[in-house]
Amino acid sequence: MLRYHYRNLIPDKITQDLRTKILGRKIIYLDTVDSTNSEGRRRFTPEGEGIVILSEQQTAGRGRLGREWTSPRNKGIWMSILLKPDQPPDRIPRLTMVGAAAVCLALEIVEPSLGTKVQIKWPNDLLLGEKKVGGILTEMQVSGGKAQSVVLGIGLNVSLEEDDFPSELLMKATSLYLGTGRAYDREIIIAEILNSFEPLYQEFSGGSIAKSLTICRQRSAVIGRNVILVNKGIVEEAEVLDLGPQGELVVKLAKGDIASVVSGEISLRML
Ligand code: BT5
């Protein structure tokens, strides 16, 4: 039975619940877009830090490495935040973990029991009951050795049902609705993501991700687990020991060596 009444977002309802100074003070709300991250890149101006782009649907939503992101109308949070952090480009990918931590905190505020069920699969997947419920995509444009613009994309499946997913995703993807049987208003979740993200982003801008890392460790789906690391075609089994101080994955390889893995080309499968 369809328990949801699918409706458009009401941006004013997001604003009502915002406790931020910068993030989300301007919301660009669209009906349809190729990708909110692409729109963010097109609309970026140096004064535009904190602008949030939301769309009811994306026709070319994307994940990392050119992968597709399923984004049906009215059923998820398809959102990008425009940022201009004064940090070297090699630190920008860490924002992915800051974003993942913020989503976990936000879900916990919306509903404590839901919050504790959502886990982070390093570096950018959000899982609910071992299935993917969301993901983060951080993109930047660099010139003169500086990150000129950063667009942090967040995708969260709120009310997708099974037939909203392409068949190849059915086994590995879920939504808040499918995972809990409950309906959630998207506005409050968006507001709480922004409320949670802002202080963590300020910490990042000051050069630290300590608080985000604490959350990512507590919520890690991979620490203590055996995984398969795939790096440019090379497949290796490892046990995940921890997240290092820069957000890198600390693993014990099959031969017993301890190694640090930074995100980027690596993909990780759970055993
Ligand atoms: C991600 O990539 O997980 C990042 C997803 C970011 C999406 C947001 S939506 C707003 C903003 N605008 C965009 O265009 N993107 C961002 P990755 O780890 O590469 O995962 C992609 C893989 O997840 C795909 O290859 C599919 O296997 C799977 N997938 C696609 N759509 C999904 C969905 N809606 N839910 C769960 N899994 C999905």
Side-chain angles (χ1 to χ4, degrees), residues 35-37 58 60-64 67-70 78-80 124-125 132 135-137 153-155 157 165 169 172-173:
S35 148
T36 56
N37 267 36
Q58 299 184 110
R62 59 173 187 271
R64 297 178 304 160
R67 296 193 274 247
E68 282 176 25
W69 186 257
T70 298
W78 324 128
M79 152 163 112
S80 296
N124 76 315
D125 285 356
K132 183 155 170 165
I136 315 286
L137 176 67
I154 298 176
N157 302 328
F165 291 104
L169 282 188
K172 52 181 187 178

Side-chain angles (χ1 to χ4, degrees), residues 9 18 24-25 34 53 58-59 82 142 181 183 187 196 199 207 254 256 261:
L9 283 166
L18 277 185
R25 289 291 150 198
D34 51 354
I53 301 183
Q58 299 184 110
T59 54
L82 310 196
V142 181
E187 288 89 348
S196 300
V261 181

Side-chain angles (χ1 to χ4, degrees), residues 43-56:
R43 296 212 189 206
F44 198 91
T45 62
E47 306 75 45
E49 182 158 75
I51 290 179
V52 166
I53 301 183
L54 286 162
S55 186
E56 291 296 353

Side-chain angles (χ1 to χ4, degrees), residues 6-19:
Y6 296 105
R7 61 163 176 83
N8 283 344
L9 283 166
I10 303 169
D12 281 351
K13 280 183 76 175
I14 301 170
T15 310
Q16 270 167 25
D17 289 320
L18 277 185
R19 298 184 297 277

